[in-house]
């Protein structure tokens, strides 16, 4: 499986756990199969009880991810010594909950790490980017946090890290509109992130459609993040020749 790793820069002040990393560039890295949706990121998910590490790359930057994914990176030329990881900090998700981040591709200037309890240990980096416009899991989990104050409180999440963040329309999908995860969750009456089977079905419904039939909306163009470019079709030209 080939993923794109999205780098999210940890903004100062660094959390307590990273106090000895002062002066270094620290990134949470999220593995995605849908890099074209990154404009719609509203937050980053980490699992409160899952173990992560902060490890040093060849150029001195620091990546935060699972040990398993760091080991894989070490065999792909990320680290100074092939096959070796330099662990700077060991932590659990809760240690970096509510941390402010910036990503080059987000429409929100600042986003936060929030808790998702269903993150899998054996997939990607254990850090998951949240695109509630297009990913049903993300929409359900973000809605849970918005609706349930005690849930936010339990993980030390402040209102301003969640409440201002709404799904961003980026891709227009036939039948589902430009917030396809929202549409499908409403249609299927999904109540929360714990409706696992329904969410799996919702994901299958929108996945391929979003990827193959989705059309980027005007939003990125309006924000000056993308431009539309037309090219004459070669086939048409050769047919008329
Ligand atoms: C942004 C995004 C936008 C994603 C979307 C999906 C969708 P898959 O298909 O099952 O292999 N992900 C990555 N790592 C994990 C993890 N450890 N635990 C749980 N979820 C994880 O899943 C790959 C997708 O699952 C990744 O792509 C990531 O979310 C998430 F609009 O990144 B994606 C309909 C799905 N749409």
């Amino acid at each position: 499986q080939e993923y794109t790793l999205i780098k999210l820069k940890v903004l100062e002040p660094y959390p307590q756990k990273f106090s000895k990393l002062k002066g270094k560039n620290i990134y949470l890295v999220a593995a995605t199969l849908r890099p074209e949706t990154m404009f719609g990121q509203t937050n980053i998910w980490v699992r409160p009880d899952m173990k992560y590490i902060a490890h040093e790359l060849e150029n001195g930057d620091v990546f935060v991810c699972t040990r398993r994914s760091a080991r894989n990176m070490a065999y792909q030329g990320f680290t100074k010594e092939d096959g070796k990881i330099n662990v700077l900090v060991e932590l659990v998700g809760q240690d970096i909950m509510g941390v402010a981040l910036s990503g080059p591709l987000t429409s929100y200037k600042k986003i936060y790490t929030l808790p998702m309890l269903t993150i899998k240990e054996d997939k990607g980096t254990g850090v998951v980017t949240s695109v509630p416009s297009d990913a049903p899991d993300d929409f359900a989990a973000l809605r849970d946090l918005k609706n349930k104050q005690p849930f936010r409180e339990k993980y030390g999440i402040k209102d301003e890290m969640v409440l201002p963040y709404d799904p961003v329309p980026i891709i227009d999908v036939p039948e589902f509109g430009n917030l396809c995860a929202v549409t499908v969750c409403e249609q299927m009456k999904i109540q929360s992130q714990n409706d696992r089977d329904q969410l799996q079905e919702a994901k299958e419904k929108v996945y391929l459609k979003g990827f193959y039939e989705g059309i980027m909306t005007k939003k990125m163009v309006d924000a000056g993040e993308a431009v539309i470019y037309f090219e004459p079709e070669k086939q048409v030209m050769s047919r008329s020749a």
Side-chain angles (χ1 to χ4, degrees):
Q1 184 69 276
E2 180 183 308
Y3 291 102
T4 303
L5 288 190
I6 302 295
K7 293 163 65 175
L8 288 308
K9 195 167 194 311
V10 178
L11 300 176
E12 308 217 27
Y14 288 170
Q16 173 65 29
K17 266 278 169 181
F18 293 164
S19 52
K20 69 171 186 188
L21 303 182
K22 218 166 183 281
K24 286 185 175 290
N25 290 317
I26 311 176
Y27 300 92
L28 265 60
V29 278
T32 180
L33 296 173
R34 301 283 309 274
E36 81 284 5
T37 65
M38 293 301 98
F39 195 70
Q41 292 173 93
T42 56
N43 62 281
I44 295 296
W45 301 117
V46 293
R47 208 176 89 191
D49 63 337
M50 201 158 98
K51 286 181 184 161
Y52 296 88
I53 61 166
H55 72 108
E56 190 173 36
L57 304 190
E58 178 156 35
N59 66 4
D61 285 354
V62 177
F63 272 12
V64 179
C65 56
T66 54
R67 189 180 287 271
R68 190 193 128 274
S69 61
R71 269 195 210 108
N72 290 332
M73 289 174 201
Y75 289 102
Q76 296 170 37
F78 288 65
T79 54
K80 202 165 179 181
E81 240 185 295
D82 197 44
K84 288 237 167 69
I85 44 179
N86 181 14
V87 182
L88 302 177
V89 182
E90 295 183 323
L91 59 140
V92 291
Q94 187 60 41
D95 294 326
I96 49 168
M97 209 54 82
V99 162
L101 307 161
S102 77
L105 301 168
T106 49
S107 66
Y108 291 107
K109 282 281 155 288
K110 200 194 237 189
I111 58 176
Y112 293 90
T113 48
L114 301 176
M116 181 187 252
L117 308 178
T118 54
I119 293 179
K120 296 188 187 85
E121 203 124 33
D122 59 353
K123 183 154 97 179
T125 57
V127 174
V128 179
T129 177
S130 171
V131 186
S133 53
D134 290 81
D137 283 319
D138 298 343
F139 175 67
L142 184 63
R143 192 182 49 183
D144 286 351
L145 274 170
K146 281 197 181 206
N147 291 347
K148 297 167 191 163
Q149 202 278 332
F151 188 32
R152 295 200 292 278
E153 197 175 303
K154 179 169 179 195
Y155 297 101
I157 299 303
K158 299 203 183 88
D159 292 1
E160 68 263 27
M161 299 172 180
V162 181
L163 301 183
Y165 294 90
D166 291 315
V168 181
I170 28 168
I171 297 174
D172 207 8
V173 182
E175 290 169 52
F176 292 115
N178 62 14
L179 291 172
C180 66
V182 182
T183 307
V184 81
C185 284
E186 277 167 7
Q187 279 175 2
M188 294 178 65
K189 302 197 163 49
I190 290 171
Q191 299 298 320
S192 84
Q193 63 188 301
N194 300 322
D195 294 345
R196 300 312 307 156
D197 295 345
Q198 278 175 291
L199 279 167
Q200 183 58 34
E201 198 186 321
K203 184 167 154 180
E204 281 158 21
K205 271 193 187 168
V206 297
Y207 224 143
L208 293 171
K209 265 201 174 299
F211 195 73
Y212 290 108
E213 298 177 43
I215 297 165
M216 293 275 186
T217 61
K218 270 174 80 250
K219 193 116 187 180
M220 290 177 83
V221 177
D222 291 347
E225 308 260 345
V227 289
I228 305 290
Y229 159 76
F230 292 101
E231 197 161 72
E233 273 184 54
K234 288 212 182 68
Q235 270 176 324
V236 175
M237 289 165 74
S238 59
R239 223 184 285 143
S240 61

